[in-house]
Amino acid sequence: KAGVTQTPRYLIKTRGQQVTLSCSPISGHRSVSWYQQTPGQGLQFLFEYFSETQRNKGNFPGRFSGRQFSNSRSEMNVSTLELGDSALYLCASSLGPRDTQYFGPGTRLTVL
Amino acid sequence: GENVEQHPSTLSVQEGDSAVIKCTYSDSASNYFPWYKQELGKRPQLIIDIRSNVGEKKDQRIAVTLNKTAKHFSLHITETQPEDSAVYFCAAFNQAGTALIFGKGTTLSVSS
């Protein structure tokens, strides 16, 4: 089976812009979670989606949003980018809630 | 909410020695505890996980132990090799099972 894929792999944006990141889960997986990874804060939970429903959101401002489509693919959006949003954004998929999560390669976002 | 503490933050061992990384969690309802290994520039990879109905799980040189009463779990790596050098993350689900909360990571260096 193909693993979790994320596009794009790298992004450079300027402050104030918005960005959309995409995640394609492993075939058959219906749950997708998103994480922000930074050197200082480690892996921080952003959102979790299952069957197109956001079941939980981490402690991030409303500028961070996401959605899941009927084919389980997920997107996350960050509006009005700030310098502090520079990070590696990882998504992980699992068969369902509480199941083992498998990570994608991440999208490296740099905000200038 | 769930909080996961991980210690130590860095660990240096000689090849062939054992390495132990410890994590404590706050939510007594947590019942799934995975460990991920992340090499530089790569995605986190699941190396072992344990559910709360068992106290120990082993896979070749890697073992995880769980003490639900004390709310802590540990990763044990025996006969360490240079390729074990990486950042290791522990994690636990929150009570609702809608968010995987990670420890801050342990940078393991194995010198030959």
Side-chain angles (χ1 to χ4, degrees):
Chain A
K1 270 188 186 176
V4 180
T5 58
Q6 291 185 245
T7 57
R9 294 292 311 281
Y10 302 92
L11 264 179
I12 299 176
K13 293 285 187 180
T14 55
R15 278 182 300 171
Q17 287 187 308
Q18 76 164 31
V19 66
T20 299
L21 314 181
S22 180
C23 172
S24 293
I26 293 170
S27 177
H29 285 197
R30 296 172 61 198
S31 184
V32 173
S33 297
W34 288 89
Y35 300 89
Q36 182 194 66
Q37 186 173 29
T38 57
Q41 296 299 319
L43 277 156
Q44 290 190 284
F45 171 78
L46 276 160
F47 335 92
E48 193 247 16
Y49 289 91
F50 176 68
S51 292
E52 302 178 65
T53 300
Q54 184 183 95
R55 301 198 315 141
N56 199 358
K57 182 176 179 179
N59 190 23
F60 281 83
R63 301 184 296 107
F64 290 80
S65 62
R67 57 178 174 167
Q68 186 181 34
F69 302 94
S70 58
N71 62 358
S72 296
R73 191 177 70 82
S74 178
E75 287 181 348
M76 68 164 280
N77 185 76
V78 187
S79 62
T80 319
L81 284 166
E82 300 178 359
L83 295 178
D85 297 332
S86 294
L88 179 67
Y89 290 87
L90 291 157
C91 78
S93 77
S94 58
L95 278 170
R98 297 182 183 267
D99 286 323
T100 301
Q101 295 188 8
Y102 298 91
F103 281 87
T107 294
R108 172 75 60 186
L109 172 64
T110 302
V111 182
L112 303 175
Chain B
E2 176 71 283
N3 184 48
V4 177
E5 300 275 346
Q6 183 172 346
H7 298 281
S9 55
T10 60
L11 180 58
S12 296
V13 299
Q14 292 284 322
E15 183 177 2
D17 287 350
S18 294
V20 181
I21 303 170
K22 298 181 179 181
C23 288
T24 58
Y25 59 97
S26 59
D27 192 337
S28 57
S30 294
N31 60 4
Y32 174 66
F33 308 93
W35 286 89
Y36 288 86
K37 173 185 178 182
Q38 187 176 29
E39 295 175 76
L40 194 63
K42 298 195 174 177
R43 71 187 78 187
Q45 298 266 20
L46 179 76
I47 55 171
I48 196 167
D49 56 8
I50 191 168
R51 295 195 182 266
S52 59
N53 56 344
V54 296
E56 183 175 0
K57 185 177 177 180
K58 204 170 179 180
D59 182 5
Q60 299 184 330
R61 298 186 295 108
I62 294 172
V64 56
T65 58
L66 172 64
N67 183 326
K68 285 223 74 181
T69 304
K71 291 193 285 187
H72 66 69
F73 56 112
S74 300
L75 178 71
H76 305 252
I77 306 174
T78 58
E79 300 170 27
T80 54
Q81 300 166 4
E83 51 265 38
D84 294 329
S85 297
V87 180
Y88 291 81
F89 293 95
C90 63
F93 271 123
N94 65 348
Q95 183 176 23
T98 55
L100 195 57
I101 307 302
F102 283 82
K104 290 272 193 262
T106 296
T107 301
L108 174 64
S109 300
V110 182
S111 53
S112 54

